[in-house]
Amino acid sequence: MLAQTATEVTPFLGSDVAASYATAQVAILPIPYEATTTYRRGCETGPDAILAASHQVEYYDEELDWETGLEVGIYTHPPIADTRSKAVTSEEMLQITRETVFKLVQDGKFAIALGGEHSITTAIVEAYRQAYPDELFTVVQIDAHGDLRHEYEGSIHNHACVMRRVVEMGLPTVQIGIRAICKEEADLIKEKNLTVFRAREIAAQPNWIENAIAAIPTEKVFLTIDLDGIDPTLIPGVGTPEPGGLNWYALTTFLRGVFNTHQVIGCDVMELAPLADSVVSEFTAAKLVYKLIGYQAKERGGIMNYES
Ligand SMILES: N=C(N)NCCCCNCCCN
Ligand SMILES: [Mn+2]
Ligand SMILES: [Mn+2]
């Protein structure tokens, strides 16, 4: 493992291609915050592991036939809400995250946040609501867990509650890859008729991608990826792994389809908790982030078309 110090910023893909803030279209935002994870800890070191592994990603994307990293300006923001050096309360994390993401969106950046624990997403979604006050967007979540508990282990900002907070905001949701929920969550899904594509159904229905994309009710989408949604053979480095997740091609085909048919306004990639003896998880996560940038830049007729 490459050890990174808390203050050192390793830019995504490396300093030789990193863009300045002013010229960047994409901003990578590391949020090494961890306070409420329920089993194996370590997601506060997730962002640095993704950034270090990103240096190994080929610039040439063979699927897109395009050197994404040389065509798109990518800036890496300094880390915020960093619990590696000192404790950060959930309120402090939520506030700095809201403010930072809102500023990135105001400045016309396509933001990709790297977690850190999934509870951070509450503040990211709030920032987009503030940035788009007149238009609903759908939160598309890839996750093994429903994250729909009202509260867990004494906190409403536990990582197991993030989608409950999103549902309370009145935003539509589409949940993908779900395979671990409690009774409270199952009841809420029924009561609110939430749209859930369960991992079991995904494994059995080849046309789930088409159906899932058709189930997104708004033009705008915020995409939240909890890495434990992906099969743990591809990403074993998560705190609470669950068998039976998405495979790489199902995942990337779905994501490309979403970028192709909807306006993705932002993304996050959460919950990487690196393992000491394997780099598979961070390599997969780094490639996934690169794919998100490539799909955003290349789908919908060529080059990115930013608002603001
Ligand atoms: N979003 C998450 N990662 N959630 C994890 C929830 C852990 C539930 N443990 C349940 C134990 C019950 N005996
Ligand atoms: Mn999860
Ligand atoms: Mn989650």
Side-chain angles (χ1 to χ4, degrees), residues 118 141-147 159 226-229 240 242 271:
H118 208 176
Q141 170 208 19
I142 293 173
D143 206 319
H145 308 91
D147 292 349
H159 71 153
D226 179 334
L227 291 168
D228 65 33
T240 46
E242 287 284 338
E271 298 261 339

Side-chain angles (χ1 to χ4, degrees), residues 32-275:
Y33 171 84
E34 174 161 26
T36 73
T37 46
T38 33
Y39 191 61
R40 194 173 64 80
R41 289 185 55 90
C43 72
E44 66 188 0
T45 65
D48 269 3
I50 296 175
L51 294 174
S54 75
H55 297 200
Q56 304 305 318
V57 175
E58 289 288 359
Y59 297 140
Y60 178 72
D61 182 315
E62 53 77 34
E63 178 189 9
L64 299 175
D65 186 22
W66 206 50
E67 291 183 300
T68 308
L70 306 183
E71 304 288 342
V72 179
I74 304 170
Y75 167 80
T76 302
H77 195 283
I80 60 166
D82 190 343
T83 54
R84 291 170 300 176
S85 39
K86 63 172 175 46
V88 176
T89 65
S90 56
E91 286 70 26
E92 288 167 338
M93 175 278 286
L94 294 167
Q95 187 182 343
I96 183 76
T97 302
R98 248 184 332 256
E99 289 171 2
T100 308
V101 174
F102 183 72
K103 168 100 169 53
L104 293 175
V105 181
Q106 292 302 99
D107 289 345
K109 310 302 176 193
F110 183 78
I112 303 180
L114 306 180
E117 64 172 64
H118 208 176
S119 52
I120 298 164
T121 300
T122 300
I124 302 175
V125 170
E126 282 171 350
Y128 283 94
R129 285 180 78 213
Q130 206 183 328
Y132 298 99
D134 305 320
E135 201 180 341
L136 282 182
F137 54 88
T138 303
V139 176
V140 175
Q141 170 208 19
I142 293 173
D143 206 319
H145 308 91
D147 292 349
L148 289 166
R149 288 170 149 103
H150 173 66
E151 99 167 46
Y152 197 59
E153 295 186 339
S155 173
I156 64 163
H157 295 302
N158 187 283
H159 71 153
C161 310
V162 57
M163 291 305 287
R164 182 67 166 265
R165 302 289 83 81
V166 170
V167 168
E168 285 168 355
M169 291 177 208
L171 292 171
T173 56
V174 173
Q175 300 180 277
I176 307 277
I178 310 304
R179 54 198 186 276
I181 52 173
C182 66
K183 175 82 164 51
E184 175 194 352
E185 295 178 281
D187 290 346
L188 189 84
I189 290 167
K190 285 181 210 151
E191 179 201 318
K192 296 211 175 281
N193 199 17
L194 300 178
T195 303
V196 181
F197 288 81
R198 296 177 193 238
R200 241 176 330 100
E201 298 158 351
I202 287 173
Q205 296 169 11
N207 58 345
W208 74 271
I209 291 181
E210 221 177 289
N211 296 340
I213 290 172
I216 300 173
T218 60
E219 160 68 7
K220 287 187 169 53
V221 164
F222 178 80
L223 185 63
T224 181
I225 302 176
D226 179 334
L227 291 168
D228 65 33
I230 299 161
D231 194 76
T233 52
L234 292 167
I235 308 217
V238 291
T240 46
E242 287 284 338
L246 294 175
N247 73 42
W248 179 252
Y249 294 105
L251 173 73
T252 52
T253 304
F254 169 70
L255 293 174
R256 191 174 183 180
V258 173
F259 280 94
N260 185 260
T261 52
H262 290 76
Q263 186 199 346
V264 179
I265 56 177
C267 314
D268 63 34
V269 176
M270 310 307 265
E271 298 261 339
L272 176 72
L275 295 171

